Amino acid sequence: MNARGKLFDAEDLKPVVRGRFVEVALPTPVDRVFDYIVPDPLESRAKVGHRVTVPFGSRSLQGFVVAEKNESHVMRHAVKDILEAPDDEPLLGSGMLALTRWMAEYYACSWGEALQAVLPAVVRTGRKRRMLNVLRCAKPPEELLAHAAALEEKARSGKGSGERNLGYARVLRAMGTFVDDVFTPSALAEKLGVSESPIRTLAKQGWLRFEKVEPERVGGGGILGAPDKIPETLTFDQQKALDAVANSLDRDEFKTFLLFGVTGSGKTEVYIRAIQRAVDHGKSAIVLVPEISLTPQTVRRFASRFENVSVLHSSMTDAERRDAWRAISAGKSRVVIGPRSALFAPVKDLGLVVVDEEHEGTYKQDNTPRYHARDTAIMRCRLEGAVALLGSATPSLESWHNAQGGKYELLELHSRVRGPQTQDIRRTPNAGLASVEIIDMGQECREQHKLTFFSRRMRGACSAALERNEQVIVFLNRRGYHTLLSCANCGQAMMCPQCDIPMSFHRGLKKMACHYCLDTEPIPRQCPHCFGGPVKLMGMGTERLEEELNIIFAGRAIARMDSDVMKTREDYEVTLEAFRAGETQILVGTQMIAKGLDFPNVTVVGVVNADVGMGLGDFRSYERTFQLLTQVAGRAGRGSKPGTVIVQTFQPEHVSIVTGARQDFRGFVGYELKHRDESNYPPFSRMVLVTVEGKLEQKADEESEKIAATANDFANRFKGTIYAVQGPFDAPIAKLRGRHRRQVIIKAKGFREVRAVVEAIKPLIKTGERLRMSIDVDPVSML
């Protein structure tokens, strides 16, 4: 009924013309915008890009105004007033609105969900600020500087722990010098490249004190410590690449470049000089790096060359994130560096976006909106007339295919940079790379008459390096102690009761653990399947690898880096700093140590089991194996000393092993692209992955059948543009966290076809407690 107590009449169906109306995008799965009336008091604060609170059913939601209009075609009784408009200025500009609209259309989500993803929660919700602990000098600055000098002298004379004393001295010298700057312990530690431990020790000793302050009082200060040495000249290839990027920056044009260079070839120096060119033109730049590569070393490299660099990362407090966002929005920061979400930083006059390690799967978000930061970065550059610079030693096959087809411009760095850069380094493919040896572990085990995890050659190479006071990295992409527990009688693996995944044994926990749902179980006394033989512990993870290395190389300092021990950013930084300082001789770990690290004293890299990951039910598994091997092999011999890489494998002839070990990208690509083309896999198609997860297996089957039927009907009507509809079938992980999982794969010709088929299946997508469905466009993981 209407307000007059009658059934709705013609008056109710007329467009509402009084007042002003706006369209609001809300963070709900409903793919549409909603009309609301703007009350007169809120007229100046409810324009396009403004944040507003509106009634939605029985609740209130926060959304964004995306359009203004003078009338609404929604019935009078259904149009409600905006409740609140808290901001004087809009939080989003026209460029970001256009980008999120594209994200919603392509990645199969609502506009409101896309908008929610581009703003940090603290900016989006306007949560109250928290007080922060900052550092103050507890004594006069001259006393801190005098004590710093005394500690430095003590370190030089060899008294006490030299590295520890130097750490204390750096903190004291920074605090005594930058008296007017205000630092949190974590910010100071990050800038100095030390842990927070010396800071807290000096506070206990009475040299420093902590004080609670409002977050806006916390400054960033200048970069502390010596900056990286700036190369006087670039190599021939570096200069050629920079000239190409600079030409597009000078012309203020959109263009995408793929910078393909072997590990250690100086890609970062090209990035830095291209950023400088953009800044010189009054433009801003964004540098995207995988979260795992956002090390203090990486940050210092950029921050030492530019003023007011803003660093965005997952460990920031709400206050730090809000302050960084405001500084960027006000134009105070012209260079922003961070992981995937930094792409949406509100920089002024965007000129350049760098995507380092563009092949990394972490650039793909694994929940709604399931956007790929690399591809979204290119679209942002297109919309804002900026340059996109993608870089990698192992480009994704999609990017390589685009470069070969002329969609991107290919730039190449053929050789490593060693020592002072000169113009005489030209076109020597893979010059300066470490020598590689592939060890057939099947033959090694036969010759040693036992199952062994370390070949004699790997032991010998590591021992020789340590004797020369060099450092070693040992890589194994499996954490835990034992990676498999199985029955000695029937051979059945001990599976997670909630997931279709074998459990691993963690000695520290003294239990079996699932790495997906984090469930833990005690080791059964007998097999729960056949009630027969005992359970055998098999395989090696990094926890056991560390223990074995401590036995083989007794007396050597060994550190482990995996997600079991690296709980905080400080853990990560402390471990790397100790390795950089030479306090640790052997670094063992998972993919955390495979990329983004540059240690000139590392001369030997050992890959314990190169086969890990190749048996996964994912068409990209060979590509990932190749990329990971290439990246980890690139950690050796980056200084003046030659490097050696020992790769252990039970498949010594496999193309991913052979080409990855010798960093032969073209060799791998030639093989892999041929097989992708034969099966219509990306980059020769665009792919959509629909996953249905249900508490009840039958319900998951029914819903996935409906999706497959709709997709097949669409494919039959548009033959030639939809290459294949596969499924439904069990996902590679058929059960996860107690939910049965079914998948449907759709391979389409291109962007338009993907959008069309997504629109056809979107009405079937349901989300609830007992049933979840997702559409992943251009999926990176098929698991």
Side-chain angles (χ1 to χ4, degrees), residues 27 59 109-110 135 148 166 175 213 269 276 367 370 446 487 523 536 539 552 558 580 623 673 751 766:
R59 55 191 172 138
C109 65
S110 72
L135 291 165
L166 286 176
M175 291 298 295
V213 301
E269 187 60 32
Q276 186 63 62
N367 52 29
R370 299 172 190 273
R446 288 190 295 272
C487 173
I523 298 177
K536 294 189 301 182
I552 297 171
I558 300 174
R580 186 183 319 285
E623 183 181 5
L673 283 181
F751 176 76
K766 304 172 185 175

Side-chain angles (χ1 to χ4, degrees), residues 712-740:
N712 274 307
D713 180 62
F714 186 89
N716 289 333
R717 287 187 289 119
F718 297 94
K719 290 183 178 179
T721 61
I722 304 300
Y723 296 144
V725 176
Q726 300 171 339
F729 45 70
D730 286 348
I733 302 177
K735 186 180 179 186
L736 188 64
R737 302 179 185 93
R739 294 177 181 273
H740 300 276

Side-chain angles (χ1 to χ4, degrees), residues 265-284:
S265 59
K267 291 184 289 295
T268 303
E269 187 60 32
V270 176
Y271 301 157
I272 289 172
R273 298 205 184 198
I275 293 169
Q276 186 63 62
R277 191 66 161 247
V279 171
D280 289 344
H281 285 310
K283 301 284 188 176
S284 297

